Amino acid sequence: MKILWCWRCRMEVPMLDEEQYAEAYKLYGEAMRSNIEGGRLIRFKPLLDFYKEITGWEMTEPNAIMHHRIAQYGPPCESCGKPYRTRKASFCAACGHKRT
């Protein structure tokens, strides 16, 4: 787990490493296939609990957890230090700096 800037959330959030993400992905898939009644928060409770246990952050949006993956982002921007949206990004989504 590592705290990084998320361009979608527009704030620093805990990002999952590959091992943690694999577990989150499994829990997300189980919730998607589940026919448990009672709403999203009940269906996704195992995933939300896992994220809170790993990060200390209480989330209510399971889809947000699935884009909080370190490997999805690129290196830090040379100008602002926030990560590029992808490894191949040509500019920084946070500050607009063109990648060198």
Side-chain angles (χ1 to χ4, degrees):
M1 193 268 303
K2 182 178 182 181
I3 303 291
L4 286 176
W5 175 263
C6 174
W7 62 271
R8 288 182 180 129
C9 298
R10 298 195 183 273
M11 59 190 266
E12 289 187 338
V13 296
M15 299 279 182
L16 303 176
D17 64 28
E18 287 305 287
E19 185 179 322
Q20 295 162 338
Y21 182 81
E23 180 64 21
Y25 185 81
K26 183 184 115 202
L27 293 170
Y28 185 83
E30 289 171 358
M32 290 296 283
R33 292 185 297 276
S34 171
N35 59 3
I36 296 173
E37 293 186 22
R40 288 175 38 131
L41 293 180
I42 291 173
R43 270 193 338 180
F44 286 96
K45 185 170 180 3
L47 172 62
L48 299 171
D49 289 347
F50 171 76
Y51 190 78
K52 183 176 181 182
E53 180 182 318
I54 296 294
T55 66
W57 281 45
E58 193 157 339
M59 293 286 282
T60 58
E61 181 50 61
N63 293 327
I65 293 171
M66 300 316 294
H67 73 252
H68 291 162
R69 178 184 188 186
I70 296 168
Q72 212 169 272
Y73 292 83
C77 170
E78 296 85 1
S79 179
C80 72
K82 294 174 180 167
Y84 286 101
R85 289 195 312 184
T86 67
R87 295 192 185 281
K88 295 181 179 182
S90 60
F91 71 94
C92 177
C95 73
H97 174 75
K98 290 192 190 246
R99 193 169 179 181
T100 54

